[in-house]
Amino acid sequence: MVGRAPIWIIFVVGIVGCLWIIPIIGIVATSLQTTDSIARGWWHFGENEFSLQAWYTVWQTYPLAGSLWVSIKITLAATALTMVTAPAAAYVFHYLRFPMRRLWLIIIINAFVLPQQVVIIPLFQLWREVGLLDNMAAVVIPFVGLSYAWAVFLIKSFLEDFPKELIEAARIDGCGPIRTFTQVVLPNLISPIAACGILQFLWCWNTLLLPMLFLRSDISLTVLLARIAGTYDPNLDQQAVAAIVTALIPLAIFLLFQKQFAAGNRVSSGGKE
Amino acid sequence: MASAKPHARESGVPFTPTGTGSPNRPRRGLALPEWTTAFLLLTPVILLFSISVIYPVIETVRISFWEIRGLGRPSFVGLGNYARLFSDPVFLGTLWTTLIFTLGVTIVSVSIGWFIALLCAFAPRQTSIFRLMIFATFGISEAVAGYIWIGIFRPGDAGLLNGILTAIGLGEFAQPWLGGANSALIALIVTASWSAVGLPLLLSFASVQAIPRSILEAAYMDGAKPLTMMWHIMVPLSLPGARVAVFLTLLSSLRAFDIVFVLTAGGPARATETVGFFMYRESMTQFNLGYGAAATIILLIGVLLVSTPAIAQRTRGAK
Amino acid sequence: MAQVELKGVSKRYGSVEVIRDLDLVVEDGSFTVLVGPSGCGKSTLLRMVAGLETVSDGTLEIAGQKANDLDPVARGVAMVFQNYALYPHMTVARNIGFALKIAGNDKAEVEARVRQAADVLQITHLLERKPANLSGGQRQRVAIGRAIVRNPQVFLFDEPLSNLDAELRVSMRVELARLHQQIKATMLYVTHDQTEAMTLADKIVVMRDGKIEQTGTPEQLYGDPNNSFVAGFIGSPRMNFLPAQAEGGKLRLVSGVELPCPPALAGPVSVGIRPEHMVPQDGRTHSLPVTIDMVEYLGGTRYLYGRLADEAPVAVEARERVDIRPGETIDVTFNDRDVMLFDASGTRIRSATHNS
């Protein structure tokens, strides 16, 4: 930036930043305190007693490990499928010519406005009929199908700035359309594909509605969290534990990859929305 | 882009006619016309997209004209479900709640995110850690955000908000926040804004950073102080990013479900039900599938109205 | 190697005709340069030969065989792009060897040929680097290496030097010329820079508006242009065109200067004289008063830019150390034999009097 940064600016941003993580500190503190202490208010650090009881109880009472595994399976499957198929679709739409190309493209990239609520009634009926309720696929299929709306758009906007000479050079070097994709385009799409993967991972892991409706016995972490809270005991400490476990992995992924995420997002947001 | 003609694959012309070195052998692999390749690569996408988007949209529209209760026989009611919706005081209430919630979340989260982005532009490195603290909520799901904030809005002394109010001598404002209709809606907006601020911050910051340095230097040479510079130079020039943020936040808060489900479950007494929640309650807990579908279509129409400019732009840009 | 021949070739985008009924023979082993202002169709022509654009009409032959519908790789052509188009994710060696790999050559063969090409271009030490870690000149060499490794029948160059700085451009020019000497392949080269065309070409093709204006050796185009467009395009600074009236065997310029001309000629004509043929004050046949606006000092020589009495701009090359300042009016002279005449439409009027 120009000139020297005024101190007050750093100060203001710092205050807002701290305000923003107080709730997170609160939930961690809550998970580590006794029920009596929580009733007094978790911030009375001086008087409150710490305990790992809630963590132990949740681990004993609820299928935390099982749900963690379900979440991992569902999220990885949906993320991998999107990361493999969306770039191919973006490439096909951007470089190849075929009947009804523009119609499909318009439908797919505009579907990003659709609320998830639109899919639940028909899919609920469909899964019930074909016996997919309580099956991982019942969640993974709409996760992937809905992701195309933004994933294809994001990668295709990246391709708009992709030098067309590289495609021409590949043609002169003797590549057909598939080889041009796998050998020339794909290796250069790593950053938007990574951005798509991170977004898809976060969304699949974090969303509640679809898994809550379509899964029964093997439930994901968000659904488990909703069940623990639903018991309506004064079990704030246990809710806190479940919330932390649910948030841990996406938060770690997010913090780890935030650079790639920002890079990919810049591409998609470069005034093109 | 590359020409539209299908790739002919004659092998007539030898690659190295002089015969020096070794001649290149003919190409391996399949020679496919362009549209076959396109079809191959696109099939899984079209298939999954059709199952999870196209079919559900058509089917939801169809169901909305039928009365379907649980496992009973469906009967065709035409626009009956819609007529019922607009005479249902609960549904009309959800429309109002959705409007207030959507506008509230968008205004609060975009103005905070944008303002912080503008401030951060003056000291990108020194503020990066604080930016990350705010941005981190992007990785936290709405459901978890709901549980996190339940602890803050708890009634009595155990809630942080009441605790703070008492500590600063405003004890008379302490209340069971999630117990009153208005305070619960405010709580919902605050929580959702806390959780939604990451995207506006990211988009506005990218937009502010894209302003050519020389323009800011020129303003600095002209004697502009930070706030003047922000208002006259950076706000107008970062408008594109902020506009996208407004749109995306509007879109996601219009369809809010998770956060409502967790924080208030629509209560007290259905006072904080959004349309997205109403539709779930009617179709998935009361099994009024047709009625729920009609509410979903109303939500879809609202979303489409908000998105018209974006849809127009994307459609024009779809080359 | 191979000859490239275009017979009646046209290129249309919808209703817009970019190239019109064009005939051209690029002789086997020649270094042919297509030159012209931007938008003249020279790049489109090159891309049609490459197989990147379809031919709307007419026949394209490479090595005596119709190539209109051949795939680029079947045409045996290699291309060097303006921005090099190196694959950013591949090392230099893989970039150069990519086409060979695609064609199904075995590894050892690819490696040997890549090394051979790298030796020719003296980039062996760069083979393991990625394009991002190369300088502009090095990238240019890799791009050329990618072309020569395939032993193509025809090399195509699309403004390959325009992204380089001035100094590198000169040295790469020399190298390209040497490369042509060495491998004696047919080369078709597109540029908008007439200096590049003059220094590299055996044959220059000047294009305008999708048509060929004139084809010939650099000397022919410079010394004997067919029209005022070619005369003005070739040579730097460009030729001076002075308006004149022809009447009864006399050409009347401004300031009362008169030149002889064919008696049949009448009406407005344009008198073309190159700056190096106009000399300040040394007593040649004719003299024109020129008001100097600017003096461009280039060391060995200097260019004087000024106006005639009727405001027509004039450039004059002054080799002697004369002390001329802007604002001065000087007399400029030239010889009859250095004058070319063009009619109102720009076509050259050739006559015994004015052609040596």
Side-chain angles (χ1 to χ4, degrees):
Chain A
M1 199 54 188
V2 202
R4 196 191 300 155
I7 291 296
W8 68 265
I9 281 182
I10 301 171
F11 190 70
V12 170
V13 177
I15 294 218
V16 177
C18 293
L19 269 179
W20 237 254
I21 59 163
I22 284 177
I24 299 175
I25 296 171
I27 199 98
V28 174
T30 305
S31 80
L32 292 173
Q33 295 184 0
T34 60
T35 328
D36 293 345
S37 302
I38 298 168
R40 201 181 300 139
W42 57 263
W43 56 94
H44 296 107
F45 288 114
E47 319 144 40
N48 285 358
E49 279 173 67
F50 286 85
S51 122
L52 286 173
Q53 182 59 39
W55 286 83
Y56 184 74
T57 312
V58 171
W59 191 260
Q60 288 293 308
T61 323
Y62 299 100
L64 205 57
S67 290
L68 183 68
W69 181 231
V70 171
S71 277
I72 290 176
K73 276 194 295 189
I74 291 175
T75 306
L76 282 187
T79 306
L81 269 171
T82 295
M83 287 171 82
V84 169
T85 50
Y91 167 80
V92 167
F93 278 123
H94 198 72
Y95 289 113
L96 303 185
R97 295 294 171 266
F98 53 92
M100 306 221 294
R101 185 192 74 92
R102 192 148 183 275
L103 180 70
W104 274 111
L105 179 62
I106 288 171
I107 294 177
I108 290 181
I109 63 177
N110 281 321
F112 81 110
V113 304
L114 285 186
Q116 291 181 55
Q117 280 91 342
V118 171
V119 313
I120 63 179
I121 299 174
L123 282 191
F124 187 79
Q125 292 181 315
L126 182 66
W127 295 156
R128 197 172 50 192
E129 261 162 57
V130 299
L132 270 184
L133 276 187
D134 207 15
N135 187 318
M136 242 176 67
V139 179
V140 172
I141 291 173
F143 275 175
V144 177
L146 286 168
S147 75
Y148 291 137
W150 52 267
V152 170
F153 182 78
L154 193 149
I155 298 173
K156 192 170 173 295
S157 338
F158 188 89
L159 285 177
E160 258 144 41
D161 297 331
F162 194 78
K164 83 178 198 309
E165 287 82 2
L166 285 185
I167 308 289
E168 293 176 343
R171 265 189 88 187
I172 292 195
D173 279 346
C175 294
I178 291 190
R179 231 198 275 241
T180 305
F181 174 59
T182 54
Q183 310 240 351
V184 175
V185 177
L186 204 52
N188 292 302
L189 283 185
I190 289 169
S191 78
I193 291 176
C196 278
I198 295 159
L199 280 172
Q200 174 75 338
F201 188 98
L202 292 180
W203 181 64
C204 293
W205 187 284
N206 284 338
T207 196
L208 171 65
L209 183 58
L210 292 182
M212 185 171 82
L213 293 174
F214 297 158
L215 299 178
R216 292 289 151 77
S217 45
D218 287 337
I219 54 173
S220 68
L221 270 180
T222 35
V223 183
L224 179 73
L225 175 59
R227 283 204 188 158
I228 294 178
T231 52
Y232 213 76
D233 293 325
N235 59 351
L236 275 181
D237 53 342
Q238 293 170 24
Q239 287 180 28
V241 171
I244 292 171
V245 173
T246 309
L248 219 48
I249 288 185
L251 203 55
I253 295 272
F254 174 73
L255 292 178
L256 217 56
F257 292 107
Q258 42 131 351
K259 285 236 164 60
Q260 280 89 330
F261 171 75
N265 219 284
R266 201 156 303 149
V267 172
S268 72
S269 69
K272 277 180 184 143
E273 280 282 355
Chain B
M1 227 1 272
S3 79
K5 90 184 165 68
H7 295 220
R9 294 264 180 259
E10 283 94 329
S11 49
V13 179
F15 205 78
T16 316
T18 50
T20 57
S22 89
N24 298 42
R25 272 178 259 134
R27 304 163 37 80
R28 294 175 301 184
L30 289 165
L32 299 170
E34 216 167 272
W35 66 266
T36 320
T37 313
F39 180 75
L40 265 176
L41 291 176
L42 217 51
T43 306
V45 174
I46 299 277
L47 196 72
L48 287 172
F49 185 79
S50 301
I51 295 176
S52 40
V53 177
I54 295 179
Y55 163 72
V57 170
I58 296 171
E59 182 69 2
T60 303
V61 172
R62 193 188 69 80
I63 294 177
S64 76
F65 298 124
W66 292 71
E67 171 149 335
I68 308 174
R69 284 185 184 275
L71 297 170
R73 266 184 82 82
S75 60
F76 184 78
V77 292
L79 292 171
N81 285 326
Y82 294 93
R84 241 178 88 203
L85 277 177
F86 285 101
S87 55
D88 181 345
V90 176
F91 180 72
L92 295 177
T94 64
L95 286 183
W96 180 246
T97 307
T98 308
L99 184 72
I100 299 293
F101 174 79
T102 303
L103 290 181
V105 174
T106 307
I107 292 169
V108 174
S109 65
V110 173
S111 40
I112 293 179
W114 197 4
F115 183 63
I116 294 295
L118 291 169
L119 288 181
C120 286
F122 286 93
R125 262 177 308 122
Q126 295 95 315
T127 55
S128 66
I129 179 72
F130 302 124
R131 215 160 53 230
L132 194 59
M133 282 153 93
I134 301 170
F135 192 28
T137 54
F138 193 91
I140 295 176
S141 68
E142 282 188 15
V144 171
Y147 291 112
I148 289 177
W149 280 77
I150 283 179
I152 291 174
F153 293 125
R154 282 177 71 191
D157 289 342
L160 180 61
L161 184 53
N162 286 341
I164 291 173
L165 287 173
T166 313
I168 59 173
L170 292 172
E172 70 264 35
F173 290 105
Q175 55 182 294
W177 289 93
L178 299 175
N182 286 333
S183 59
L185 185 54
I186 293 173
L188 212 48
I189 293 175
V190 169
T191 309
S193 304
W194 177 81
S195 151
V197 81
L199 195 65
L201 174 60
L202 175 77
L203 293 174
S204 316
F205 188 66
S207 201
V208 175
Q209 294 253 291
I211 299 174
R213 216 187 138 79
S214 57
I215 292 183
L216 300 176
E217 282 169 345
Y220 187 65
M221 299 297 290
D222 287 343
K225 295 272 176 292
L227 285 177
T228 331
M229 180 122 86
M230 239 164 81
W231 182 246
H232 289 286
I233 314 279
M234 292 156 72
V235 165
L237 290 180
S238 64
L239 209 55
R243 206 178 290 144
V244 174
V246 166
F247 170 64
L248 292 180
T249 314
L250 275 179
L251 206 60
S252 66
S253 28
L254 255 181
R255 42 180 140 166
F257 170 82
D258 293 3
I259 206 160
V260 181
F261 180 83
V262 169
L263 195 63
T264 67
R270 306 190 78 171
T272 56
E273 273 188 33
T274 57
V275 180
F277 187 84
F278 178 88
M279 150 301 136
Y280 157 80
R281 186 187 174 102
E282 285 301 326
S283 57
M284 292 292 135
T285 70
Q286 312 296 315
F287 293 105
N288 287 328
L289 294 186
Y291 198 49
T296 314
I297 297 303
I298 302 288
L299 174 64
L300 182 59
I301 291 172
V303 165
L304 289 177
L305 283 181
V306 170
S307 328
T308 311
I311 290 178
Q313 195 180 355
R314 283 198 175 194
T315 304
R316 260 194 323 261
K319 300 231 175 59
Chain C
M1 291 292 159
Q3 166 172 306
V4 176
E5 192 168 354
L6 292 93
K7 295 177 189 160
V9 164
S10 301
K11 175 69 190 175
R12 280 180 298 272
Y13 295 104
S15 60
V16 185
E17 194 157 51
V18 188
I19 287 177
R20 243 164 284 175
D21 192 21
L22 181 142
D23 297 297
L24 175 68
V25 176
V26 179
E27 284 96 9
D28 183 9
S30 76
F31 200 125
T32 301
V33 176
L34 297 173
V35 67
S38 61
C40 70
K42 56 190 190 298
S43 279
T44 310
L45 188 65
L46 188 80
R47 293 164 57 83
M48 285 197 289
V49 176
L52 295 173
E53 303 278 353
T54 52
V55 178
S56 305
D57 245 324
T59 314
L60 164 69
E61 282 180 8
I62 298 175
Q65 198 164 21
K66 189 177 175 212
N68 287 35
D69 298 322
L70 287 185
D71 243 22
V73 73
R75 298 180 187 209
V77 298
M79 181 149 165
V80 176
F81 291 84
Q82 177 173 1
N83 62 6
Y84 322 130
L86 300 181
Y87 307 119
H89 56 292
M90 299 184 190
T91 60
V92 168
R94 283 192 59 209
N95 257 291
I96 297 178
F98 187 59
L100 300 178
K101 193 183 128 204
I102 294 287
N105 290 281
D106 60 55
K107 231 175 153 188
E109 158 111 40
V110 174
E111 232 164 77
R113 281 169 71 176
V114 167
R115 192 152 287 276
Q116 200 183 340
D119 282 343
V120 172
L121 294 163
Q122 297 159 353
I123 48 174
T124 317
H125 60 295
L126 303 175
L127 281 176
E128 290 317 310
R129 291 211 202 155
K130 291 267 181 76
N133 303 323
L134 302 178
S135 68
Q138 290 169 333
R139 282 179 210 183
Q140 184 63 71
R141 280 164 203 261
V142 176
I144 295 170
R146 201 165 66 174
I148 64 173
V149 75
R150 297 167 49 187
N151 271 326
Q153 314 187 59
V154 182
F155 282 87
L156 306 172
F157 295 90
D158 190 4
E159 309 218 7
L161 305 185
S162 57
N163 280 3
L164 299 177
D165 62 43
E167 201 177 327
L168 257 175
R169 206 176 305 159
V170 175
S171 64
M172 280 312 290
R173 223 154 61 195
V174 176
E175 278 195 47
L176 279 177
R178 191 185 302 142
L179 188 72
H180 182 234
Q181 293 284 312
Q182 202 175 337
I183 60 182
K184 301 206 164 35
T186 311
M187 293 188 172
L188 187 54
Y189 186 108
V190 161
T191 179
H192 63 265
D193 177 352
Q194 60 92 26
T195 318
E196 243 169 78
M198 295 289 278
T199 48
L200 283 170
D202 313 328
K203 189 169 95 177
I204 296 180
V205 179
V206 181
M207 289 184 67
R208 178 170 61 158
D209 293 341
K211 282 187 299 202
I212 294 179
E213 292 285 333
Q214 191 174 354
T215 305
T217 63
E219 292 80 5
Q220 282 169 343
L221 292 192
Y222 186 81
D224 191 13
N226 280 345
N227 54 42
S228 59
F229 175 77
V230 174
F233 198 82
I234 303 289
S236 171
R238 68 196 297 265
M239 181 183 265
N240 297 304
F241 294 101
L242 312 179
Q245 281 290 331
E247 209 181 341
K250 288 277 181 204
L251 272 179
R252 211 180 313 273
L253 277 78
V254 283
S255 328
V257 177
E258 289 189 346
L259 301 170
C261 76
L265 202 58
V269 296
S270 191
V271 175
I273 314 165
R274 296 200 180 275
E276 64 267 37
H277 296 141
M278 294 187 114
V279 183
Q281 305 159 316
D282 78 339
R284 295 197 195 182
T285 332
H286 312 284
S287 97
L288 289 168
V290 177
T291 309
I292 303 299
D293 292 326
M294 191 186 89
V295 179
E296 201 175 82
Y297 178 64
L298 295 177
T301 184
R302 66 190 75 199
Y303 291 108
L304 315 175
Y305 294 94
R307 287 164 284 124
L308 293 182
D310 63 350
E311 296 291 312
V314 172
V316 178
E317 181 178 343
R319 286 208 188 70
E320 275 99 74
R321 290 181 48 88
V322 281
D323 191 24
I324 299 167
R325 291 169 194 286
E328 275 178 57
T329 302
I330 57 167
D331 276 334
V332 171
T333 64
F334 53 91
N335 285 327
D336 275 358
R337 61 182 166 84
D338 295 326
V339 168
M340 298 179 194
L341 290 184
F342 304 92
D343 69 15
S345 68
T347 310
R348 174 90 176 276
I349 304 162
R350 287 193 164 89
S351 69
T353 332
H354 294 111
N355 265 327
S356 45

